[in-house]
């Protein structure tokens, strides 16, 4: 499959290619895919199996439950994908590097990754090392396979591609963009079940609105994600400032 070098491309290696594009085929990502702003290729790992049963797994060395994805089959699938040395090679794994907004921005700025979706009890460590797979995790929990995690990663990246979101500010003024959670949002009706929109948001004073939003974002981050707050430059522990 040919691809323009200027188009961001995601190549997914999976045992269930029929799961794609799935959610990636609708809404913002789907419209951008149809418009040619990015490309998606889902490749079946079983196509690289060599026996008549198309076997891709075997029992774990040393014993134990479940099965392990074979190194030789997965390596052949990676090689057949011809991802190129300039593209990141990722393995969705709960033991991997956490998927953060900064990592998403880094991936979105590149040519697009090759993403391996694991299954069974895991992947033979030798192929991880031999094919230089970087393990990436979307959270501290275990899924049935890497496909949903891969969709999460790809969707997060596609949102940041030029031309995908209607307003560039939408991607700059949201959770994690500055290491902060997003401030609360409101819209019509002005009154809902006795709850009104904060007066400052309908005051027309843009400077005060911006200050209120910043204060709310900081307060939410300190309360809900003290780890993010502590990691911000100039912060020590859970330093408090005035809430807006």
């Amino acid at each position: 499959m040919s691809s323009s070098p200027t188009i961001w491309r995601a190549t997914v290696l999976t045992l269930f290619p029929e799961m794609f594009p799935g959610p990636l085929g609708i809404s913002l990502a789907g419209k951008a895919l149809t418009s040619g702003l990015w490309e998606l290729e889902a490749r079946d790992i079983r196509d690289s199996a060599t026996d008549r049963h198309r076997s891709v797994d075997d029992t774990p060395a040393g014993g134990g439950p479940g099965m392990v994805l074979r190194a030789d089959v997965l390596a052949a699938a990676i090689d057949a994908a011809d991802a190129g040395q300039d593209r990141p090679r990722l393995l969705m794994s709960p033991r991997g590097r956490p998927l953060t907004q900064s990592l998403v921005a880094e991936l979105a700025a590149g040519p697009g990754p090759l993403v391996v979706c694991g299954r069974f009890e895991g992947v033979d460590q030798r192929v991880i090392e031999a094919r230089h797979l970087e393990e990436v995790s979307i959270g501290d929990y275990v899924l049935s396979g890497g496909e949903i995690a891969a969709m999460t990663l790809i969707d997060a990246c596609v949102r940041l591609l030029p031309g995908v979101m209607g307003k560039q500010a939408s991607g700059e003024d949201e959770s994690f963009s500055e290491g902060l959670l997003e401030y609360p949002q409101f819209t019509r009706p002005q009154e809902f079940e006795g709850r009104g929109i904060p007066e400052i948001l309908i005051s027309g004073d843009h400077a005060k609105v911006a200050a209120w939003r910043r204060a709310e974002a900081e307060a939410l981050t300190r309360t809900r994600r003290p780890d993010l707050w502590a990691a911000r430059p100039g912060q020590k522990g859970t330093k408090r400032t005035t809430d807006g």
Side-chain angles (χ1 to χ4, degrees):
M1 178 179 178
S2 62
S3 174
S4 168
T6 62
I7 297 179
W8 194 87
R9 182 184 185 192
T11 301
V12 181
L13 299 184
T14 171
L15 295 176
F16 299 97
E18 64 272 18
M19 292 180 68
F20 293 86
L24 298 173
I26 59 176
S27 191
L28 282 176
K31 291 178 182 178
L33 184 62
T34 301
S35 300
L37 296 179
W38 69 289
E39 295 180 353
L40 174 65
E41 179 186 19
R43 299 176 64 97
D44 193 341
I45 296 173
R46 289 190 188 278
D47 289 343
S48 295
T50 57
D51 66 338
R52 63 188 181 90
H53 298 295
R54 303 182 79 205
S55 302
V56 298
D57 59 333
D58 211 327
T59 56
M67 305 292 280
V68 176
L69 197 59
R70 290 174 48 147
D72 56 345
V73 175
L74 183 54
I78 293 171
D79 295 345
D82 191 25
Q85 295 301 315
D86 61 327
R87 298 178 65 195
R89 295 179 174 186
L90 311 178
L91 169 65
M92 305 313 299
S93 165
R95 72 180 191 181
R97 170 186 178 186
L99 180 65
T100 62
Q101 191 65 19
S102 61
L103 176 54
V104 166
E106 177 185 328
L107 293 170
L114 179 145
V115 185
V116 176
C117 301
R119 281 274 162 177
F120 315 120
E121 293 301 313
V123 173
D124 191 307
Q125 182 66 30
R126 294 171 295 177
V127 72
I128 296 175
E129 297 170 359
R131 293 300 182 271
H132 308 291
L133 300 179
E134 179 182 5
E135 297 179 69
V136 176
S137 170
I138 64 168
D140 296 336
Y141 43 85
V142 179
L143 301 172
S144 299
E147 287 79 13
I148 294 175
M151 292 177 189
T152 300
L153 180 147
I154 294 170
D155 181 80
C157 291
V158 168
R159 294 178 69 254
L160 300 185
L161 299 180
V164 173
M165 287 192 286
K167 294 182 179 179
Q168 186 61 32
S170 296
E172 298 171 351
D173 195 18
E174 59 188 5
S175 288
F176 311 115
S177 60
E178 293 185 38
L180 295 172
L181 299 182
E182 188 178 11
Y183 49 80
Q185 297 281 9
F186 300 87
T187 188
R188 292 180 291 181
Q190 190 164 332
E191 292 288 334
F192 170 69
E193 296 184 351
R195 296 172 172 83
I197 296 174
E199 288 294 328
I200 197 168
L201 297 182
I202 54 178
S203 67
D205 190 323
H206 298 299
K208 288 184 178 180
V209 168
W212 180 90
R213 286 174 169 172
R214 179 72 178 198
E216 288 291 314
E218 291 181 352
L220 281 171
T221 305
R222 287 198 309 272
T223 301
R224 299 183 182 182
R225 291 294 302 274
D227 57 320
L228 290 178
W229 181 254
R232 286 175 53 76
Q235 301 300 332
K236 295 183 179 180
T238 55
K239 177 182 176 182
R240 298 191 62 82
T241 61
T242 301
D243 291 347

